[in-house]
Amino acid sequence: MNHKKKAVINANIVLKDHYIPDGIIIMEDGIIKDFDEMRHLPTPEDCEVIDAGGNYAGPGFIDIHTHASDVKFFTDDPYSCAEHHLDHGTTSVYPALYFSMNTEQYVAAIGQMKEAMKDPRGKNIAGVYMEGPYLNPKFGCDKEHCPWKGAVDKKAYQPVIDAAKDVALVWALAPERENIVEFVKDVKAANPDATFSVAHSEAAPWQVEDLMPYGLRIGTHHTDATGKFHQYPDPEILGVGVDEAVNKNDGIWAELICDSRGIHVAPYMLRLVRKIKGEDRIILISDAYAADGPVPEGYDDPFDINFDITGEIAGSKLTLDVAMRNMMNHTGASVCDVFRYATANPAAATGIKDRGEIKRGLKADIVICDDHIHVKKVIMGGEIVRDYAK
């Protein structure tokens, strides 16, 4: 029998800043209807029961920045990539489209993601993350193939904006690119709600801050692929730049790639960023990428990150459940904290208001996991889509 009303029982419910022990979450028609301690909220009659078995039940993970599964790019096979991330609790994923694409390739990839979003196999694809076109070509992997090194050109970028305006939730850019404001204004004309992210950049802090009124509110993979602005020629004078701007400004969320060895972001730096940004301005991302270059000398068993053929770090092999677990290990963050970094914070930063919390009226996207973020069940729209507890 297909019950419209379902209840997750025997759950430690994960909210933004606390837990509800021995809790119950009632879902109906794909929406969270109510939640509380079981002793206060009886299980409705004629209700399908999902027993959490004393595990944690929190909102489905939201990965706003990932290019691939463990072996394929979204542009190679969007469905297997979407399924791979859903396997690990990511109920909303934003495929990242990189600045190595030219105009025609961008337009084609955006169209491909739009089609995938309509297919049940791509049901967790929630939009796209435009990692380009106008980044600083000095930074990031595969920069040798960047076709956007010339002047900001409306003829080249306008077709990309037109194709992506209704699905692009984030546009990453380098504020120091000449005439970048023209591009920003054209993005905003197409989508007034567009979010911008500073990425692959050596901008001065004030160049970053100048774009905040237009909607710049994310730092792409914070402390990775960023340079310093040096105001004076003496090399012993420490420069400032993107990382300092992201740290200083409360209105900017910091994306973090949290791999097992602390290679993308050193554990000490993770602790420092957590201290500076607080619990509500950190976003965990996977930045998964399909690269198979050799591991250069000097790295300590980097089993969950990638390198390109030149030896440059090229994203990760992470999924958010693993990134969350790594963040707990490296910083001492709690289950509640890392859930926020992977759910409520990315939703807030990208303007998504219908998911990201256990809250009445939001989508019933729920992950049931243990205290080390080993996923037991994944619920999407009130339906169990993965069950590893059987």
Side-chain angles (χ1 to χ4, degrees):
M1 183 177 181
N2 184 21
H3 299 275
K4 284 189 175 181
K5 188 170 286 189
K6 301 178 176 67
V8 176
I9 66 169
N10 297 323
N12 291 307
I13 302 173
V14 184
L15 303 181
K16 283 178 66 175
D17 55 7
H18 67 286
Y19 308 100
I20 295 178
D22 300 319
I24 178 172
I25 305 170
I26 298 172
M27 307 172 288
E28 188 172 5
D29 297 326
I31 301 297
I32 297 171
K33 303 299 288 187
D34 207 354
F35 62 93
D36 205 335
E37 291 184 57
M38 292 178 66
R39 64 193 179 97
H40 296 310
L41 185 63
T43 304
E45 295 182 4
D46 191 29
C47 178
E48 180 181 333
V49 171
I50 301 168
D51 193 339
N55 287 298
Y56 291 92
F61 309 149
I62 301 173
D63 192 348
I64 68 169
H65 184 166
T66 187
H67 302 263
S69 65
D70 50 345
V71 293
K72 292 183 179 179
F73 287 109
F74 271 89
T75 49
D76 294 330
D77 184 351
Y79 305 114
S80 68
C81 291
E83 292 283 336
H84 171 75
H85 288 280
L86 187 59
D87 289 345
H88 294 268
T90 297
T91 54
S92 297
V93 63
Y94 305 174
L97 304 179
Y98 198 46
F99 79 149
S100 56
M101 298 181 182
N102 61 27
T103 300
E104 292 74 21
Q105 291 168 327
Y106 259 133
V107 171
I110 293 161
Q112 184 185 18
M113 295 308 112
K114 287 181 178 180
E115 288 302 310
M117 292 169 70
K118 300 174 186 176
D119 192 298
R121 294 172 295 170
K123 57 184 174 291
N124 59 328
I125 300 176
V128 298
Y129 185 109
M130 298 298 297
E131 194 170 7
Y134 290 114
L135 311 184
N136 188 321
K138 290 169 56 177
F139 300 96
C141 71
D142 201 28
K143 51 184 172 284
E144 295 78 12
H145 301 108
C146 174
W148 301 91
K149 296 178 181 180
V152 172
D153 181 2
K154 185 178 178 70
K155 289 182 180 178
Y157 72 66
Q158 192 63 50
V160 180
I161 293 175
D162 292 341
K165 61 185 178 182
D166 56 343
V167 292
L169 296 172
V170 179
W171 291 84
L173 50 80
E176 70 271 25
R177 294 292 297 263
E178 187 175 0
N179 297 323
I180 195 66
V181 174
E182 294 179 12
F183 171 76
V184 168
K185 288 180 177 178
D186 284 336
V187 171
K188 294 294 282 189
N191 178 11
D193 297 325
T195 293
F196 295 97
S197 179
V198 55
H200 297 236
S201 170
E202 58 183 356
W206 50 91
Q207 291 176 308
V208 176
E209 292 169 353
D210 284 347
L211 294 183
M212 291 180 67
Y214 295 98
L216 189 151
R217 54 177 180 255
I218 299 175
T220 291
H221 42 59
H222 186 43
T223 75
D224 281 306
T226 54
K228 298 293 185 185
F229 174 79
H230 295 276
Q231 188 169 0
Y232 301 104
D234 188 337
E236 295 184 4
I237 299 174
L238 182 65
V240 295
V242 171
D243 298 332
E244 288 75 19
V246 171
N247 282 340
K248 177 182 180 293
N249 284 280
D250 294 340
I252 301 180
W253 280 263
E255 292 180 359
L256 294 173
I257 307 169
C258 196
D259 59 70
S260 301
R261 294 290 182 256
I263 293 171
H264 277 94
V265 188
Y268 195 94
M269 180 63 75
L270 290 169
R271 296 171 206 140
L272 176 61
V273 172
R274 189 174 172 222
K275 178 172 180 157
I276 294 171
K277 298 305 293 181
E279 306 305 341
D280 62 352
R281 286 295 185 271
I282 290 172
I283 297 172
L284 288 176
I285 61 169
S286 68
D287 197 19
Y289 202 82
D292 58 359
V295 178
E297 292 184 6
Y299 287 95
D300 177 21
D301 186 25
F303 60 89
D304 56 7
I305 70 173
N306 296 312
F307 298 87
D308 66 17
I309 59 173
T310 69
E312 186 96 28
I313 292 177
S316 83
K317 297 181 176 73
L318 292 168
T319 48
L320 278 190
D321 56 338
V322 180
M324 293 163 71
R325 185 157 56 249
N326 292 340
M327 189 70 172
M328 294 170 71
N329 292 339
H330 291 324
T331 72
S334 70
V335 170
C336 192
D337 295 331
V338 296
F339 256 96
R340 191 192 301 194
Y341 306 157
T343 60
N345 291 358
T350 57
I352 300 300
K353 299 179 180 178
D354 66 346
R355 71 199 74 177
E357 296 182 56
I358 301 298
K359 188 176 181 180
R360 296 169 187 87
L362 298 193
K363 286 187 66 177
D365 292 352
I366 297 170
V367 171
I368 298 172
C369 64
D370 67 14
D371 57 356
H372 286 86
I373 322 296
H374 296 109
V375 174
K376 306 298 182 182
K377 297 180 191 289
V378 182
I379 297 168
M380 188 173 178
E383 300 293 333
I384 297 176
V385 293
R386 298 290 187 274
D387 191 349
Y388 304 115
K390 291 182 177 179

